[in-house]
Amino acid sequence: MCGIVGAVSDRNIVPILVQGLQRLEYRGYDSCGVAIHEASLKRSVGGLKRARSTSRVSELMSQIETDHLESGTGIAHTRWATHGAPTDTNAHPHVSMDGSIALIHNGIIENYNALKQELIRQGYLFKSETDTEVLVHLVDFISKKENVWFGEALRLALLNVVGAYAIVAISKNFPGQMVAARKSSPLVVGIGANGDFYLASDATPIVEYTKRVVYLEDEEIAVIKLGEELKIYNISDQEKTPYIQQLELELEALEKGGYDHFMLKEIHEQPRSIHDCFRGRLNSSEGWVSLGGLKEYEQKMIQAKRLVIVACGTSWHAGLVGEYLIEELARINVEVEYASEFRYRNPIISEEDVVIAISQSGETADTLAALELAKSKGATIL
Ligand code: GLU
């Protein structure tokens, strides 16, 4: 699951954003990015600047250092792609055509295509394949058409949006300000002691800076302005009183989600992890499955004489579950093998086989060797 971090303060918040992303890194992601407001430390004038990477957050950090990004207002994101490949261009934040609004988003905009076609008719050019870019252009379009500030434009935009989202946006014209909204995707705002604010998709990046937090409810919009009170509105523009909670847990306990051990937490998180993993990839009401990375192998898999799953440890157990499911649903013969056995026993593999390697770390040496072996025998490799 992807992550969101944002902050406004009168000090440089870029290290807070990066560290926040690192705290969310364990959830998995395929790319990351940050956008900041150059003028917000009152040291300089300027607009929004961003850095994005399909590599680790540590690589993003080097870009940030090279570009000397420093600011008191910024947003950052780790992406788990649903619409469009994991590339630099698809990584968040996305910006409006004139560069005045930057926006990050967790979730899926279900009616993005209809919105996109309308925006294209209005002259908007799209640079990415994401559903998210629709949001930033829509906010820009409404803000110009209705002559309203970007926070109001976001609220009006959301009236037209079907889907799940946690969204945070900043604007070149409003340093020290951030607008956030959520529906079916968590977002928490931390209220600092000095008029500063922190925001994230869970409390772990925030707890170091404040224990006073507000969990946004579905279809609520938070308007955050440095040095002012936090304002919360619903999507119909009615003001709500923020329910401020005191975080009881320390960082370590929070990271463990209230469980005694990470192992327990991970076990209990399995339903949610599976749900998150399938978000945007499986639609049971409409009856479709879309697994981007597998698309080009679909025919090979359907025609395969058998599928061989090679893995070690926990991944091997996952393979066993896969065997049951695939045989049950697809009626294709599946074999699951320990990669360490497979690689040393001269297995019979032909070009009609599809070999699926599973590795939690991506680095399991036996599994990588098994993969190479299967490849050398002409099998299709996944
Ligand atoms: N749907 C968006 C995308 O594909 C956001 C995915 C996410 O939740 O990270 O870019």
Side-chain angles (χ1 to χ4, degrees):
M1 186 173 134
C2 41
I4 277 182
V5 189
V8 294
S9 171
D10 53 12
R11 62 192 169 125
N12 179 21
I13 47 78
V14 175
I16 295 174
L17 298 181
V18 173
Q19 197 184 46
L21 288 188
Q22 281 169 333
R23 292 218 192 292
L24 298 173
E25 238 179 343
Y26 76 96
R27 293 162 169 272
Y29 63 102
D30 51 49
S31 51
C32 50
V34 57
I36 54 112
H37 199 305
E38 276 189 302
S40 68
L41 282 178
K42 297 186 191 113
R43 281 211 284 274
S44 55
V45 287
L48 303 180
K49 278 212 153 169
R50 72 178 160 167
R52 296 182 292 173
S53 167
T54 47
S55 186
R56 304 279 89 191
V57 174
S58 51
E59 142 64 29
L60 180 71
M61 194 149 71
S62 330
Q63 267 193 59
I64 288 171
E65 276 163 15
T66 314
D67 296 350
H68 304 290
L69 297 189
E70 261 190 20
S71 175
T73 308
I75 52 179
H77 188 261
T78 45
R79 176 174 185 239
W80 177 267
T82 63
H83 292 60
T87 58
D88 281 345
T89 327
N90 287 335
H92 301 207
H94 291 284
V95 293
S96 57
M97 268 164 59
D98 62 3
S100 68
I101 301 169
L103 181 147
I104 52 179
H105 162 229
N106 284 355
I108 288 169
I109 307 305
E110 280 168 30
N111 61 339
Y112 87 99
N113 206 19
L115 295 171
K116 184 169 178 173
Q117 296 317 318
E118 181 53 32
L119 287 161
I120 289 172
R121 269 194 292 279
Q122 298 293 340
Y124 281 82
L125 298 174
F126 282 75
K127 293 201 168 136
S128 80
E129 304 155 294
T130 63
D131 49 344
T132 303
E133 196 181 359
V134 164
L135 286 173
V136 76
H137 293 324
L138 188 60
V139 173
D140 179 72
F141 174 67
I142 293 177
S143 119
K144 291 187 171 126
K145 181 160 169 265
E146 305 291 333
N147 198 18
V148 290
W149 81 296
F150 79 109
E152 175 61 359
L154 176 67
R155 185 186 73 79
L156 294 171
L158 292 179
L159 295 173
N160 297 296
V161 163
V162 180
Y165 51 76
I167 300 167
V168 192
I170 55 175
S171 161
K172 176 182 166 189
N173 303 321
F174 298 90
Q177 302 193 18
M178 235 174 359
V179 182
R182 75 151 264 180
K183 185 177 181 187
S184 311
S185 208
L187 212 49
V188 47
V189 183
I191 305 171
N194 303 306
D196 43 339
F197 290 95
Y198 308 88
L199 184 150
S201 44
D202 78 42
T204 45
I206 293 179
V207 66
E208 253 177 276
Y209 309 103
T210 177
K211 295 246 159 116
R212 296 178 71 221
V213 297
V214 174
Y215 285 88
L216 292 189
E217 302 276 340
D218 268 354
E219 300 204 317
E220 278 186 351
I221 296 166
V223 174
I224 294 164
K225 298 184 181 178
L226 179 64
E228 294 186 22
E229 298 262 297
L230 169 69
K231 297 274 186 193
I232 310 263
Y233 301 88
N234 68 13
I235 201 162
S236 323
D237 207 20
Q238 287 156 327
E239 191 166 350
K240 312 270 290 278
T241 312
Y243 172 54
I244 302 173
Q245 302 183 41
Q246 193 72 22
L247 278 180
E248 302 295 346
L249 299 174
E250 293 302 324
L251 180 61
E252 205 201 354
L254 255 180
E255 282 184 331
K256 288 192 199 141
Y259 294 99
D260 288 343
H261 310 283
F262 277 110
M263 176 73 93
L264 268 177
K265 174 175 179 255
E266 289 186 2
I267 290 169
H268 285 275
E269 272 180 352
Q270 283 179 14
R272 199 184 80 194
S273 302
I274 291 171
H275 187 268
D276 284 344
C277 181
F278 279 118
R279 191 149 43 85
R281 298 185 166 89
L282 179 134
N283 186 319
S284 49
S285 53
E286 288 171 24
W288 52 257
V289 177
S290 168
L291 299 169
L294 294 184
K295 196 88 198 123
E296 58 181 299
Y297 302 103
E298 200 172 295
Q299 279 316 312
K300 284 243 157 126
M301 289 176 84
I302 291 169
Q303 285 155 12
K305 242 166 92 189
R306 59 179 186 151
L307 307 182
V308 181
I309 298 179
V310 290
C312 293
T314 307
S315 303
W316 180 79
H317 285 105
L320 291 179
V321 178
E323 176 182 16
Y324 288 11
L325 289 174
I326 295 168
E327 288 199 344
E328 166 79 24
L329 296 171
R331 307 306 294 160
I332 298 173
N333 185 10
V334 181
E335 277 169 36
V336 185
E337 278 218 51
Y338 248 103
S340 48
E341 297 293 324
F342 182 91
R343 68 177 288 200
Y344 289 116
R345 71 164 182 85
N346 194 16
I348 302 170
I349 292 288
S350 77
E351 287 168 9
E352 291 165 307
D353 293 321
V354 171
V355 176
I356 303 174
I358 309 179
S359 160
Q360 198 175 355
S361 64
E363 291 173 8
T364 314
D366 283 330
T367 307
L368 290 178
L371 196 80
E372 282 307 318
L373 178 66
K375 205 183 209 172
S376 72
K377 290 179 184 283
T380 299
I381 304 297
L382 294 175

